[in-house]
Amino acid sequence: MNAATTSSPQMTGKPRLSFWQIINMNFGFFGIQFSFGLQQSSMSPIYAYLGADEASLPYLWLAGPVTGLLVQPLIGAMSDRTISRWGRRTPYFLIGAVLCSLGLLIMPFSSTLWMAAGLLWILDAANNVTMEPYRAFVSDKLDASQHSVGFLTQSAFTGLGQTLAYLTPSILVVAGMNSNSVNSHHIPYIVIAAFIIGAIFSIASILWTLKTTPEIPLTTEQLAQIRQQASGWRATLAEIGLAIKEMPPTMRQLALVKLFQWYAMFCYWQYIMLSLGRSIFGTSDPSSAGFREAGLLNGQIGAFYNFIAFIAAFALVPFTRRFGPKISHATCLTLAGLCMMSIPAIHTPALLFIPMLGVGLAWASIMGNPYIMLAGSIPAERTGVYMGIFNMFIVIPMIIQIFTLPLYYQAWLGGNPENVIRLAGGLLICAALAVGIVKLPKRTLPTIET
């Protein structure tokens, strides 16, 4: 069975799950994405509070891409070969969730820049250990005709989890916490509380999925096939290398799309708060009240675009079924690019929610449609490893961004974070154009049912 197959709608022998069963199965994605949302909204401010240089900020985000590059294909390949009393994917869900919760608990108490950066390495590695087998889990559990709704449900939980992560500091302020109350390292207590809440959500959501959605036991034939394969880390690396060599054409063509879209999103997450600080509050001073207000505003608009993504993920199911994932994805990316380019020209906080509509549509599409476009091109026995390799197309653009943006931040962008946001918008439009070169397998999309 393929990981997001769009082959003809024949049944595969797997029982069809109800909509609520699919929700339970994907609920663990909520906790994973709450954690990612906290990173996106809070890591740049935390680095700034601890004295990071603005131009060097991308280097401090290196943890996520590098751990993803190393961990995702390895964990994907290992989970394909794992035999345990709990299943193939479950051990990775649980280990990753525990480590992620511990990382979230400690992160906001960082006392130095290197401590925060080091904890981000641990946190990102844990998230990747959990998330990579989760993609393969959808393929394991669902019949081919339900793969699209399965992946777009994960996209919906991405939106919901990150909505609450971005919004939690503002909710805490409404609940009575003082937004200007900080610890000795200038980190606001509302940020500390948000990370503690994230740690609870991270472990609780994974435990819910494990309780409600057991893995399908492997057949005798599957067990025999796994046991016949060579074991050990050398065999795992060899399998990854062979899979890369035999990569389907659709995956190779999607690489350019993902290069543009993820370079753009990394630019946005790193510099949006700094951009808002200048365009809305006229400050770049991390110790100022205006800078903290920019953090709250970023949380609010980030929550809004993630909520739009939550709604759009379900709305995209019939749209993608009718027009196809290519048109759907290109349309969403184009709208987001235009909206993102307009953000620095807005000087009224309330008006910022308008471009977030486009950003939210693109975010829903980014987390769902590329996996649908991969459809039908990856063999069932390599689901995990190819999902890991496919996600390398996310982290490699991030690594490229980290090492290139500081080189031209001053010379080409004038040392202005607002120009980074404009650049991100232009790159999303480039990603939309790159969708045109992707050739999908000549198979029909199935009727998408729940």
Side-chain angles (χ1 to χ4, degrees), residues 6 17 29 41 47 49 52 103 124 127 136 140 148 154 200 231-232 251 263 279 284 302 314 332 334 365 373 422 436:
T6 55
L17 301 188
F29 224 67
S41 63
Y47 287 149
Y49 296 138
D124 266 306
N127 273 328
D140 294 343
S148 293
Q154 286 191 347
I200 296 170
S231 59
M251 283 186 68
Y263 194 114
S279 62
S284 58
F314 293 111
C332 291
T334 301
S365 185
M373 281 192 279
R422 293 186 180 99

Side-chain angles (χ1 to χ4, degrees), residues 91-138:
Y92 302 96
F93 295 167
L94 192 56
I95 292 170
V98 170
L99 292 175
C100 178
S101 294
L102 292 174
L104 289 170
L105 282 174
I106 301 172
M107 176 66 77
F109 298 100
S110 298
S111 57
T112 61
L113 201 55
W114 68 263
M115 179 179 177
L119 283 170
L120 185 59
W121 282 82
I122 297 172
L123 184 57
D124 266 306
N127 273 328
N128 283 305
V129 166
T130 305
M131 186 172 68
E132 190 45 51
Y134 226 123
R135 295 291 191 185
F137 189 47
V138 170

Side-chain angles (χ1 to χ4, degrees), residues 409-421:
Y409 181 70
Q410 296 291 343
W412 296 354
L413 302 178
N416 187 347
E418 294 171 297
N419 289 332
V420 180
I421 303 304

Side-chain angles (χ1 to χ4, degrees), residues 21 135 216 231 236 318 328 338 372 418 446:
Q21 287 174 316
R135 295 291 191 185
I216 297 175
S231 59
T236 300
S328 177
L338 295 173
I372 300 173
E418 294 171 297

Side-chain angles (χ1 to χ4, degrees), residues 51-66:
D53 175 64
E54 191 175 281
S56 301
L57 199 58
Y59 295 132
L60 296 170
W61 282 71
L62 187 61
V66 170

Side-chain angles (χ1 to χ4, degrees), residues 100-405:
C100 178
S101 294
L102 292 174
L104 289 170
L105 282 174
I106 301 172
M107 176 66 77
F109 298 100
S110 298
S111 57
T112 61
L113 201 55
W114 68 263
M115 179 179 177
L119 283 170
L120 185 59
W121 282 82
I122 297 172
L123 184 57
D124 266 306
N127 273 328
N128 283 305
V129 166
T130 305
M131 186 172 68
E132 190 45 51
Y134 226 123
R135 295 291 191 185
F137 189 47
V138 170
S139 177
D140 294 343
K141 289 288 293 184
L142 295 180
D143 178 78
S145 63
Q146 292 190 301
H147 281 168
S148 293
V149 72
F151 282 112
L152 286 171
T153 301
Q154 286 191 347
S155 179
F157 273 119
T158 297
L160 181 61
Q162 294 191 10
T163 293
L164 292 178
Y166 273 89
L167 202 56
T168 295
S170 293
I171 293 174
L172 293 173
V173 170
V174 172
M177 290 189 69
N178 184 353
S179 62
N180 291 316
S181 180
V182 300
N183 67 9
S184 59
H185 303 290
H186 308 292
I187 299 175
Y189 284 109
I190 55 173
V191 172
I192 295 174
F195 272 79
I196 293 173
I197 293 170
I200 296 170
F201 281 163
S202 179
I203 189 68
S205 63
I206 289 292
L207 290 176
W208 179 261
T209 288
L210 297 181
K211 176 181 173 61
T212 60
T213 316
E215 293 190 51
I216 297 175
L218 295 173
T219 65
T220 303
E221 292 77 14
Q222 288 173 321
L223 288 170
Q225 184 181 28
I226 292 173
R227 289 185 175 121
Q228 288 173 0
Q229 294 175 338
S231 59
W233 65 270
R234 289 186 178 88
T236 300
L237 291 178
E239 168 63 14
I240 294 171
L242 183 61
I244 292 174
K245 181 179 179 181
E246 298 174 354
M247 187 184 303
T250 300
M251 283 186 68
R252 296 182 187 276
Q253 293 155 4
L254 281 166
L256 184 61
V257 178
K258 300 190 89 174
L259 170 63
F260 287 127
Q261 73 184 26
W262 286 104
Y263 194 114
M265 293 307 299
F266 224 38
C267 285
Y268 177 84
W269 292 328
Q270 290 171 2
Y271 284 92
I272 182 59
M273 179 181 167
L274 302 179
S275 175
L276 295 177
R278 295 198 183 192
S279 62
I280 303 294
F281 299 98
T283 182
S284 58
D285 180 7
S287 65
S288 67
F291 194 84
R292 290 189 290 272
E293 287 298 318
L296 286 174
L297 179 59
N298 179 44
Q300 292 160 10
I301 64 173
F304 182 73
Y305 88 67
N306 276 288
F307 180 73
I308 295 299
F310 170 65
I311 301 298
F314 293 111
L316 284 174
V317 172
F319 188 88
T320 299
R321 178 178 57 191
R322 180 170 182 180
F323 298 104
K326 286 181 60 173
I327 292 177
S328 177
H329 196 47
T331 301
C332 291
L333 290 174
T334 301
L335 288 172
L338 295 173
C339 288
M340 206 173 279
M341 292 173 71
S342 73
I343 290 173
I346 297 174
H347 304 289
T348 303
L351 294 179
L352 286 170
F353 291 90
I354 297 175
M356 290 303 109
L357 293 169
V359 175
L361 282 171
W363 188 226
S365 185
I366 285 170
M367 296 302 291
N369 274 320
Y371 294 93
I372 300 173
M373 281 192 279
L374 187 62
S377 66
I378 54 178
E381 66 275 11
R382 283 179 166 174
T383 298
V385 67
Y386 270 126
M387 282 295 176
I389 293 170
F390 194 55
N391 282 301
M392 289 170 64
F393 296 165
I394 297 175
V395 299
I396 290 174
M398 292 178 177
I399 293 173
I400 293 173
Q401 188 265 2
I402 285 170
F403 287 106
T404 57
L405 185 64

